[in-house]
Amino acid sequence: MRNFYRQFISPGDLCFDIGAHVGNRLKAWQALGARSVAVEPQPLLMQTLRSRYASAEDIDLVAQAIGAQPGEATLHISTQTPTVTTMSQEWITQVKQDTSFERVKWDRQLVVPVITLDQLIAEKGEPVFCKIDVEGFELQVLRGLSRPLRSLSFEYIPAAISMAIDCIDRLEELGDYEYNLAPGESHRLRYDQWLAVDDMRQQLKNISQGSGDVYARLRTR
């Protein structure tokens, strides 16, 4: 994982992990010499993050959610599978059509505080890399951002592929990006050459199985 992120992150860089879960990326970023801000609204997962990283001077833990507007939002929690906890009822409706989600239940709700990505940047600084993994709420996160970031990633899933395409459309409103994919947890980019926006949209439309992450980086001129 460290070797994969080396192409995006250098020593001293600031990174955001939006939807940090239990912090699987943080150790790799730490090994690269990065400073990280890990955002996680789920209390149980934040407990895990604090047990692992509370003493780390280069990791800042934020127990909030990120959205399009500051305020509060309802977190739909899956007790048995907390990694699919979400603030998007629309996403739940879409993924329920996928057989891999047929046994998932969102059995609890929790109101959590929400800030925008712009607010987080104003407080912590602008990240060189921003990972967004918030189960269908990625577009709302990007709507709370008013400037292009150098590089970022967000999740795609076939049952809700239109949401990933909406995220690309939002990024194109912010800046001139090129794109790639990393299937599953492979931490390997699928394409040797980064893709233009129209090609990326088409590649996403062609995906019928397997989730992963879209990577975006600003074009160099």
Side-chain angles (χ1 to χ4, degrees):
M1 189 186 300
R2 186 189 315 175
N3 288 336
F4 174 76
Y5 281 108
R6 200 185 303 274
Q7 63 191 300
F8 302 106
I9 299 168
S10 299
D13 284 346
L14 176 64
C15 302
F16 283 1
D17 191 349
I18 310 299
H21 302 284
V22 295
N24 292 337
R25 304 295 196 278
L26 296 176
K27 187 169 289 187
W29 297 356
Q30 191 177 43
L32 291 172
R35 298 172 294 117
S36 300
V37 176
V39 181
E40 178 52 59
Q42 293 190 65
L44 187 61
L45 296 185
M46 180 52 70
Q47 286 180 19
T48 300
L49 287 168
R50 285 173 175 151
S51 70
R52 291 181 175 182
Y53 300 111
S55 62
E57 295 182 357
D58 50 3
I59 296 176
D60 191 353
L61 303 178
V62 177
Q64 291 179 303
I66 306 295
Q69 297 178 335
E72 294 181 331
T74 299
L75 199 61
H76 302 275
I77 298 173
S78 175
T79 304
Q80 294 299 317
T81 49
T83 56
V84 297
T85 291
T86 179
M87 292 195 297
S88 173
Q89 184 62 56
E90 179 186 0
W91 184 81
I92 291 175
T93 300
Q94 291 193 26
V95 300
K96 277 184 175 179
Q97 302 172 33
D98 190 318
T99 56
S100 64
F101 283 82
E102 61 186 5
R103 295 186 179 181
V104 176
K105 294 182 179 180
W106 289 268
D107 51 346
R108 289 181 53 218
Q109 293 186 349
L110 178 68
V111 176
V112 296
V114 178
I115 61 172
T116 67
L117 203 45
D118 277 344
Q119 287 177 305
L120 189 66
I121 290 170
E123 181 180 348
K124 308 294 185 182
E126 183 173 317
V128 165
F129 180 79
C130 179
K131 170 221 148 197
I132 307 171
D133 183 2
V134 288
E135 312 307 319
F137 211 65
E138 287 83 0
L139 180 59
Q140 299 305 313
V141 171
L142 293 174
R143 283 177 174 164
L145 176 67
S146 61
R147 71 186 81 180
L149 301 181
R150 192 166 88 182
S151 58
L152 65 159
S153 68
F154 56 88
E155 188 181 33
Y156 69 84
I157 181 171
I161 208 69
S162 63
M163 291 185 168
I165 294 172
D166 288 343
C167 288
I168 287 177
D169 293 342
R170 174 58 183 157
L171 287 180
E172 289 298 305
E173 294 174 353
L174 296 173
D176 183 16
Y177 282 92
E178 56 188 2
Y179 300 88
N180 216 315
L181 295 179
E185 290 292 321
S186 64
H187 304 298
R188 297 185 66 177
L189 295 177
R190 172 171 289 177
Y191 307 109
D192 292 334
Q193 300 294 323
W194 287 66
L195 304 183
V197 59
D198 289 340
D199 294 329
M200 187 73 261
R201 288 193 189 102
Q202 189 58 52
Q203 292 301 321
L204 286 172
K205 290 176 182 177
N206 292 340
I207 292 174
S208 60
Q209 60 183 2
S211 61
D213 294 291
V214 175
Y215 284 80
R217 68 183 186 187
L218 284 173
R219 290 182 180 274
T220 56
R221 300 184 184 278

